Amino acid sequence: MAVITTSEPLAAGQYGSAATAPEAPLSAVSWPAVFAGAFIATAFTIMLLALGSGFGLASVSPFTGNPSATTFTVLAAIWLIIVQWVSSALGGYMTGRLRTRWTAVHTREVFFRDTANGLLSWAVASVFVVGIVASGASSLLGTGTHAAATAASSTAPSAYMLDTLFRPANPGGTQATAQDRSEASGILAQGVTGSVDQSDQTYLAQLVAARTGVTLADAQGRVTNAVAQEQVAVAKAKQAANAARKAASGFALYTFVSMLIGAFIAAVSGAIGGRLRDHV
């Protein structure tokens, strides 16, 4: 049986059998073209992410609070899809155009190989991008630790709260000791995980009255106000943590969708590039 040396569609009966078909000496994967397309896709991904970061930071204002976390997440998701669309299309197309011409291969097989090579270029580029992102993991962990510490400190009794609690009735009165402030801070900190027991509030009011010279009723009012402020701080911290959780969850889902779109675009672009390579 003669060996077919064209990538045009074969007529019926020209497929031959697997036992008599000659084995190709090289892999069906065009690795040089795949890596070339992957490098192109990675470069464009980094470039577009930098552009999006610039626009995003320019649009965020700490004074007005705009845009909101939800709006920012949606805009970031749209930009991720655009980045995947453009970079995957370029990487897949270049992979198809840069491969060598396959001979003795059916057109349908050529189409499959081109889509597979385009998908491979997207996969390699994704690994490259993940590696680049992972290189900054230490700084991200440091930022996350600092954010967690900041969130924790925001729910702990502040120095100003303790100053207000132990403010003497007369400006020249006796100041509370470090032990008094530490004890008061420990009692108020119970409000972070639950509520402050009434017995603790009564004891703290007596301590404040003894150290500041105010009446017991005024001291009780100070303690009640401090406990209420602590509860408000805890509620705000929980709301911020919940908003961050929702934003992170949405961002992860949008990232999955954008990568899925990128994989499809890369495969289609690889087929288009390969077809132009063979017929133009």
Side-chain angles (χ1 to χ4, degrees):
M1 181 179 61
V3 177
I4 305 300
T5 59
T6 178
S7 60
E8 295 300 320
L10 301 180
Q14 290 183 308
Y15 290 98
S17 64
T20 59
E23 184 70 21
L26 300 176
S27 171
V29 179
S30 298
W31 284 113
V34 167
F35 278 107
F39 277 118
I40 292 173
T42 302
F44 270 87
T45 298
I46 296 173
M47 181 179 66
L48 292 175
L49 286 178
L51 179 63
S53 299
F55 285 139
L57 292 175
S59 64
V60 175
S61 173
F63 302 103
T64 61
N66 292 322
S68 63
T70 303
T71 302
F72 187 81
T73 303
V74 172
L75 293 177
I78 294 174
W79 186 249
L80 277 178
I81 294 176
I82 294 175
V83 169
Q84 280 285 323
W85 193 300
V86 175
S87 60
S88 299
L90 286 173
Y93 177 79
M94 295 303 295
T95 299
R97 287 303 299 267
L98 294 177
R99 68 156 174 83
T100 57
R101 183 184 180 92
W102 289 304
T103 59
V105 179
H106 193 278
T107 303
R108 294 176 182 176
E109 178 63 19
V110 172
F111 176 79
F112 173 78
R113 292 184 181 184
D114 283 332
T115 55
N117 283 333
L119 184 61
L120 273 175
S121 70
W122 167 84
V124 174
S126 298
V127 173
F128 285 161
V129 173
V130 169
I132 294 172
V133 172
S135 64
S138 58
S139 62
L140 290 178
L141 286 175
T143 303
T145 303
H146 177 71
T150 303
S153 63
S154 65
T155 60
S158 64
Y160 177 75
M161 181 186 296
L162 295 176
D163 289 340
T164 304
L165 190 64
F166 286 104
R167 184 172 296 165
N170 299 316
T174 304
Q175 298 292 329
T177 64
Q179 182 178 356
D180 295 335
R181 295 171 66 91
S182 176
E183 191 173 9
S185 178
I187 293 175
L188 294 176
Q190 297 301 315
V192 175
T193 56
S195 59
V196 181
D197 292 338
Q198 187 61 42
S199 59
D200 289 335
Q201 294 189 37
T202 301
Y203 170 76
L204 184 57
Q206 293 173 351
L207 180 63
V208 170
R211 295 294 184 270
T212 61
V214 299
T215 63
L216 183 60
D218 290 340
Q220 186 64 52
R222 291 187 181 186
V223 172
T224 302
N225 184 48
V227 172
Q229 291 181 13
E230 188 68 16
Q231 293 293 336
V232 171
V234 170
K236 289 183 178 180
K238 288 182 178 180
Q239 290 178 356
N242 189 50
R245 177 190 61 82
K246 290 182 178 180
S249 175
F251 187 78
L253 293 176
Y254 290 139
T255 301
F256 166 77
V257 173
S258 66
M259 293 188 69
L260 188 64
I261 293 175
F264 175 76
I265 294 298
V268 173
S269 300
I272 294 174
R275 181 174 179 83
L276 293 176
R277 160 67 181 80
D278 291 338
H279 297 282
V280 176

